[in-house]
């Protein structure tokens, strides 16, 4: 089954970047990433997420991979 997770930046300050993620625009989860360490924490879960779906884990991985390249894009996605 193909998975597409839309990820968009909501806010950014000197310490963190906050992103919303979801399967579509109707429901979103939120995560925050430390710009200093790359640590990603869940702020609010996506209503359809579960351990088997792994929406947060996939979105966190994608945001962290951009961070490792020195990027904090306004929009990105996870597609598999």
């Amino acid at each position: 089954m193909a998975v597409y997770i839309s990820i968009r930046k909501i806010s950014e300050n000197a310490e963190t970047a906050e992103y919303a993620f979801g399967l579509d625009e109707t429901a979103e989860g939120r995560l925050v990433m430390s710009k200093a360490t790359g640590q990603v924490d869940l702020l609010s879960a996506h209503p359809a997420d579960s351990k088997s779906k792994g929406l947060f884990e996939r979105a966190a991985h994608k945001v962290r991979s951009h961070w490792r390249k020195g990027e904090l894009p306004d929009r990105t996605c996870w597609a598999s």
Side-chain angles (χ1 to χ4, degrees):
M1 178 172 136
V3 176
Y4 179 89
I5 304 169
S6 175
I7 305 165
R8 66 180 173 84
K9 190 188 313 176
I10 296 173
S11 66
E12 180 178 355
N13 60 40
E15 292 85 30
T16 63
E18 185 175 333
Y19 285 87
F21 63 94
L23 301 171
D24 56 36
E25 299 288 324
T26 62
E28 296 178 321
R30 300 265 175 116
L31 61 83
V32 64
M33 186 195 68
S34 166
K35 292 166 75 173
T37 66
Q39 173 68 35
V40 180
D41 295 306
L42 181 64
L43 293 177
S44 62
H46 186 284
D49 203 1
S50 65
K51 291 206 184 264
S52 64
K53 289 186 180 175
L55 300 181
F56 166 69
E57 290 80 4
R58 293 173 188 196
H61 175 80
K62 185 65 175 194
V63 170
R64 195 176 302 110
S65 69
H66 281 291
W67 173 81
R68 286 185 183 124
K69 297 176 190 174
E71 306 167 346
L72 291 173
D74 289 336
R75 290 191 171 272
T76 188
C77 68
W78 170 280
S80 65

